[in-house]
Amino acid sequence: MGGSSASIPEGTSMIAPQLNTLRYFQYSDGAENCYNISVPIGRYLMRFFFTFGEVDNSNTEPQFDVSLEGTLTFPLQPGWSSYYDQAYPDALVYVDDGAATACFHSSGHGNPAVVSLEILQINELAYELGYPWTLYVILKTVKRVSCNALETGYGIDLDADPWGGDRFWGSDIDLNKGASTPLKTTAHITNCCGAPNFYPEVLYQSAATTGVGENLYYSFQVEPNQNYSIWLHFAEISPNITQKGQRIFQILVNDQPLFMGVDIVGYSGGPFTAIVLNKTIFVEGRTLTLTLKPVQGGILINGFEIYQLVPMEYTTVKSQVWALQALKDSLGVPSRLGWNGDPCVPQEHPWIGVDCGYDFTGNAWFLAGLSLSHQGLKGHIAEDISYLPSLQSINMSSNSLSGAIPSQLGNLSNLEILDISFNKLNGSIPGSLGNLTHLQELYLNGNQLKGEVPVALLSGPIHGASFNFSDNSGLCGIPGLSSCGILSSGSKVGLAVGTTLGALILVVCILAIRQRRYNIARAKRSHDAPFARSRLSSTPEVQLQKLAITDYIKSPHLEHTPQLLQ
């Protein structure tokens, strides 16, 4: 966690005790900065306080995004600092990996700044929506209201059970709700304050009411085309309503029925007894209007909560995230690149220099490529890179990487492009690179490599691949490079075999020449012998007969003319 600290001016806190410092993140700290806090697996309320000042943002409201567990949750848009529920946002999150993660993403409009982050464990079944909603959505608070409460406050201020998450309850006094009359009681409310949600009793001791036949409504700006979970709180605290059927009303959202024929006493079993109604709806537009219409008597409501259901993003394969974090350290990735949190999500803020792919079978993101050329890397390539088996492309060219090329690169069976040219890499080229059967581009030029180029890499260019080993003064063994002065063991065996065969051929040739000379000398001696001369001095008839036979054998005409069958 990087960033810098700065003081905040007095009077900036709207609903919480005054704090004195904040942490902000400049461009040099990277586009993503995260808190990763170890917690038990479970359900949590995560709450923030955002503000800004002179040192961090020159007293200009910044705009940035906040993600929880890899899911974009709070986009801080222009004007956020004017509303307490945007300056103090909270959400209910299920953490399943033992670490609560909150990241701040720069949008280029000022420096992200945060005063506080609270992570409060709540009951496992709190705000249960049923499987799979509870595990796979974030409940982002839109409004949490105690109707006609004279004072706003946190759960601890309202004597609520700590397992309720110390939620902040605002008032509806300033909300546009039409004509209403406040109603309060000090009577004990039953069935209000236990597990799993642990509501404060005071929530049900005040209410907004209307006269007979009068509507009550609340209207809010929301994000369009989203699901919203609405929780409505009721306890009949009017001394004039003691029997069911005396107060009945309808509840609508954007003029669509939500609950019909609501009878508080009839539902709860009696007065001064709490009930909670919950339903999830889809809202297409940018406005959510909650309307209560009387059927019998007037309206009474004690409080309500509205949560936006933010679907949680599928995250990156954990082993690949850990491997990439290890590579971040070994490569010396500069802080300006960020590389905090999840490399692939939220999708609006992927890591710089990381290409991601999605596995629809396993419902997880994976690392498909690293594009880190000209990024000032000054470390080495660690063996942890072998834990990124889905990599198809690696480009770390034009940096200052040193050390050896790890043989584990040969385990990346999907790799098609490897460009680590123009660095300071030394040592030999690992033979394991020959295992990369899909490799189409290999650029090792401009380093300090030495030794013989592995034989397994020589066939690549023959099959259309592009390989470059130049500008490595110590490399040898292929055309374009110097010959190898010191032969490898394989070359030595080959040379020995070749020498032996050459010697055998030479011996055979010498013996053949000697035999030929011997035969010629023998023939000459036979020609000069008395017996040979006697045969040559035979009668002319015999000599002519011999000459005719000889001419017959040598005749080209007869030699190439086929014989006819009789």
Side-chain angles (χ1 to χ4, degrees):
M1 191 67 189
S4 306
S5 62
S7 299
I8 57 177
E10 293 288 336
T12 57
S13 180
M14 291 182 281
I15 63 173
Q18 176 67 37
L19 299 175
N20 299 320
T21 60
L22 58 75
R23 181 163 293 276
Y24 66 99
F25 308 99
Q26 304 176 77
Y27 175 80
S28 58
D29 296 314
E32 285 77 41
N33 289 273
C34 303
Y35 286 99
N36 295 288
I37 302 173
S38 297
V39 295
I41 294 174
R43 199 156 174 76
Y44 292 85
L45 183 141
M46 298 179 67
R47 179 167 58 223
F48 300 83
F49 172 29
F50 301 118
T51 190
F52 56 92
E54 171 64 31
V55 174
D56 55 284
N57 278 288
S58 301
N59 288 326
T60 301
E61 181 187 74
Q63 300 168 40
F64 55 95
D65 294 335
V66 181
S67 66
L68 305 180
E69 299 300 300
T71 299
L72 180 59
T73 308
F74 304 117
L76 272 67
Q77 303 294 337
W80 62 264
S81 59
S82 300
Y83 303 92
Y84 79 82
D85 49 359
Q86 295 185 42
Y88 290 84
D90 68 54
L92 305 178
V93 185
Y94 186 79
V95 177
D96 63 357
D97 59 358
T101 303
C103 296
F104 308 92
H105 308 275
S106 175
S107 64
H109 300 281
N111 299 317
V114 57
V115 179
S116 65
L117 163 60
E118 299 174 82
I119 302 176
L120 307 171
Q121 189 169 14
I122 59 178
N123 188 281
E124 189 81 11
L125 299 178
Y127 295 91
E128 175 70 31
L129 299 176
Y131 183 84
W133 287 98
T134 301
L135 299 181
Y136 300 118
V137 298
I138 294 174
L139 273 66
K140 171 186 172 182
T141 304
V142 177
K143 285 292 180 182
R144 188 183 294 114
V145 170
S146 176
C147 295
N148 270 318
L150 298 179
E151 296 183 359
T152 59
Y154 290 93
I156 191 172
D157 303 319
L158 305 177
D159 296 323
D161 191 296
W163 278 99
D166 196 29
R167 291 158 294 182
F168 179 82
W169 293 88
S171 175
D172 68 343
I173 293 176
D174 296 328
L175 295 179
N176 182 14
K177 60 182 180 297
S180 68
T181 301
L183 182 64
K184 295 186 73 68
T185 185
T186 58
H188 173 64
I189 306 297
T190 60
N191 196 38
C192 71
C193 312
N197 293 346
F198 298 100
Y199 296 112
E201 184 179 16
V202 69
L203 169 64
Y204 300 95
Q205 292 176 328
S206 67
T209 65
T210 68
V212 176
E214 294 180 341
N215 293 348
L216 186 65
Y217 64 88
Y218 298 92
S219 188
F220 312 99
Q221 295 298 305
V222 296
E223 294 184 32
N225 301 313
Q226 300 291 324
N227 287 292
Y228 291 87
S229 182
I230 299 175
W231 300 71
L232 304 167
H233 300 273
F234 302 99
E236 184 56 75
I237 59 174
S238 171
N240 301 320
I241 305 295
T242 59
Q243 301 293 326
K244 65 179 182 179
Q246 291 182 282
R247 189 194 302 277
I248 302 175
F249 52 90
Q250 301 173 344
I251 305 174
L252 302 92
V253 171
N254 292 348
D255 296 326
Q256 298 300 313
L258 189 67
F259 294 101
M260 307 302 289
V262 176
D263 183 339
I264 300 175
V265 174
Y267 282 5
S268 65
F272 302 102
T273 303
I275 61 167
V276 181
L277 302 181
N278 164 244
K279 188 169 286 188
T280 298
I281 61 166
F282 182 79
V283 178
E284 293 182 349
R286 296 183 178 276
T287 302
L288 189 157
T289 300
L290 183 66
T291 304
L292 292 84
K293 289 186 175 183
V295 174
Q296 176 68 39
I299 301 296
L300 180 146
I301 183 170
N302 302 88
F304 58 87
E305 301 168 86
I306 301 176
Y307 297 95
Q308 178 185 341
L309 272 57
V310 182
M312 295 187 72
E313 294 242 32
Y314 289 110
T315 56
T316 307
V317 177
K318 294 300 181 184
S319 60
Q320 297 195 21
V321 176
W322 299 331
L324 206 54
Q325 289 287 1
L327 276 180
K328 172 186 175 181
D329 296 333
S330 68
L331 294 174
V333 174
S335 58
R336 58 179 170 77
L337 294 186
W339 279 38
N340 294 300
D342 191 297
C344 301
V345 294
Q347 296 181 55
E348 297 85 351
H349 299 283
W351 287 7
I352 297 172
V354 173
D355 301 319
C356 297
Y358 187 73
D359 178 8
F360 288 92
T361 302
N363 288 325
W365 292 90
F366 61 85
L367 279 301
L370 296 176
S371 303
L372 295 169
S373 62
H374 297 89
Q375 292 298 339
L377 307 182
K378 297 181 179 180
H380 67 281
I381 304 174
E383 298 176 357
D384 301 88
I385 199 168
S386 64
Y387 295 106
L388 303 175
S390 52
L391 281 178
Q392 300 172 17
S393 173
I394 298 174
N395 186 351
M396 299 181 186
S397 62
S398 301
N399 287 290
S400 297
L401 295 173
S402 58
I405 299 174
S407 61
Q408 287 77 7
L409 277 173
N411 298 333
L412 305 180
S413 58
N414 294 304
L415 199 62
E416 299 175 2
I417 299 174
L418 176 58
D419 186 353
I420 47 179
S421 59
F422 300 108
N423 279 283
K424 299 177 181 178
L425 298 170
N426 52 43
S428 60
I429 300 174
S432 62
L433 296 187
N435 300 333
L436 304 177
T437 56
H438 297 292
L439 196 63
Q440 292 299 309
E441 298 180 30
L442 175 62
Y443 303 115
L444 305 180
N445 49 299
N447 281 287
Q448 301 169 10
L449 301 172
K450 60 183 180 180
E452 187 176 8
V453 175
V455 175
L457 295 176
L458 301 183
S459 62
I462 298 176
H463 296 91
S466 176
F467 290 0
N468 192 338
F469 305 101
S470 63
D471 296 326
N472 286 279
S473 59
L475 280 183
C476 62
I478 62 172
L481 300 179
S482 59
S483 59
C484 295
I486 301 177
L487 299 178
S488 65
S489 58
S491 298
K492 291 178 180 179
V493 171
L495 181 59
V497 172
T499 301
T500 302
L501 289 176
L504 288 175
I505 292 172
L506 179 60
V507 170
V508 171
C509 290
I510 292 173
L511 292 175
I513 292 172
R514 291 183 63 184
Q515 182 64 38
R516 179 175 175 79
R517 289 179 177 177
Y518 173 78
N519 292 339
I520 292 174
R522 181 180 179 184
K524 184 177 180 181
R525 287 195 300 271
S526 298
H527 183 272
D528 294 336
F531 176 75
R533 286 198 298 270
S534 173
R535 293 177 56 192
L536 290 176
S537 61
S538 59
T539 61
E541 290 79 4
V542 174
Q543 294 182 22
L544 288 173
Q545 187 179 9
K546 290 182 179 179
L547 179 60
I549 294 173
T550 302
D551 290 341
Y552 175 82
I553 294 174
K554 293 183 178 178
S555 172
H557 174 76
L558 295 177
E559 185 177 14
H560 297 285
T561 301
Q563 293 182 350
L564 298 178
L565 297 176
Q566 298 299 325

